[in-house]
Each structure stands twice: as structure tokens, then as C-alpha cells.
């Protein structure tokens, strides 16, 4: 029986690690963690946030995930959208799902990412999407 989620794995092209570190570490605030010694030679980088890990591995003939994606819960959706937009990342607000506002963006190698914020009942005016960036 499944009891939790340890990590999500995304792929990246060889040599993209520094851009991924800047994005996931510096821009999104995740902490990079050391890969096990047995896996370090494969490239990529591992990150962690509260209660989850996000692994980015090098894939030969890489193609970004355009539909599959992790859904990352954030505390201030609009502030993150502004931060990503200021760093040159496209923001696409989407139809809210029950209990959440959300937008999609992409990491530096083109992988699709969904960012969600729990919707407070008193924010009715904000449940129809968000600012346009």
C-alpha cells in the first residue's frame, strides 16, 4: 500500500545543471541536496522542499515534459508569479480547481510546472485567475 510520495523526477539535457540550480534553488528557494555517491556521475541535481524532493536527471535525447508536471503548493501565488515573470519566465494562469488558484510556467529547460495556492474563502475576487504577466 502506498503511504507517501518521496520525490518527483524531471529530466534535463546534459550541461543544464547550473541553470537548474539557479531556478530551483535561487528563484524557487528549494535546497539542493547531495545525490548518493553512486549516482553523482550521472549528472543532474536533487532539491528538497518541505516534505518532498524534486530530482532532475540528465536524459539523452532530452525533450521537456509539456503535459506531465509536478504541482507545487506555494504560500503566495501572485508574488511567485511576479518573481518568475521578472526573471523572464512565462506565467499562464489557469482555471481554478476546487480549493486552489494556479498557474503554469516552465523551468529553464522547458519542463512544465504547476504552482498552486490554497484559496481562502474570503478571496472571491481572486479565484478567477490572476494578474497577466
Amino acid at each position: 500500500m502506498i503511504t507517501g510520495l518521496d520525490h518527483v523526477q524531471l529530466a534535463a539535457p546534459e550541461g543544464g545543471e547550473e541553470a537548474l540550480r539557479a531556478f530551483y534553488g535561487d528563484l524557487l528557494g528549494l535546497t539542493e541536496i547531495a545525490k548518493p555517491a553512486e549516482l553523482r556521475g550521472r549528472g543532474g541535481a536533487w532539491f528538497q522542499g518541505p516534505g518532498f524532493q524534486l530530482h532532475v536527471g540528465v536524459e539523452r535525447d532530452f525533450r521537456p515534459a509539456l503535459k506531465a508536471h509536478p504541482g507545487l503548493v506555494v504560500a503566495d501565488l501572485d508574488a511567485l508569479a511576479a518573481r518568475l515573470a521578472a526573471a523572464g519566465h512565462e506565467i499562464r494562469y489557469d482555471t481554478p480547481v476546487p480549493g486552489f488558484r494556479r498557474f503554469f510556467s516552465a523551468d529553464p529547460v522547458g519542463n512544465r510546472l504547476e504552482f498552486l495556492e490554497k484559496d481562502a474563502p474570503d478571496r472571491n475576487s481572486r479565484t478567477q485567475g490572476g494578474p497577466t504577466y
Side-chain angles (χ1 to χ4, degrees):
M1 189 187 265
I2 297 172
T3 61
L5 178 65
D6 180 72
H7 71 276
V8 170
Q9 170 105 18
L10 295 173
E14 187 173 0
E17 289 88 350
E18 289 310 309
L20 294 165
R21 285 183 175 101
F23 182 80
Y24 288 106
D26 299 338
L27 193 57
L28 296 185
L30 299 178
T31 302
E32 185 171 0
I33 56 175
K35 292 176 66 172
E38 304 82 25
L39 302 178
R40 288 188 193 137
R42 298 180 183 181
W46 289 9
F47 303 91
Q48 73 179 14
F52 73 94
Q53 291 184 14
L54 190 143
H55 300 177
V56 184
V58 171
E59 183 176 309
R60 178 180 279 167
D61 300 324
F62 166 75
R63 289 193 180 109
L66 302 178
K67 183 67 175 174
H69 61 275
L72 303 169
V73 178
V74 302
D76 189 335
L77 194 70
D78 295 328
L80 178 61
R83 185 177 171 118
L84 288 170
H89 296 275
E90 182 182 354
I91 305 302
R92 295 174 312 279
Y93 277 89
D94 201 6
T95 305
V97 294
F100 291 92
R101 296 174 55 240
R102 65 195 181 127
F103 70 78
F104 290 93
S105 192
D107 70 11
V109 298
N111 289 311
R112 184 180 192 198
L113 304 171
E114 181 178 11
F115 297 96
L116 303 104
E117 179 183 25
K118 289 187 179 189
D119 195 19
D122 62 334
R123 289 192 305 181
N124 291 333
S125 63
R126 295 180 67 191
T127 61
Q128 296 306 312
T132 302
Y133 293 100

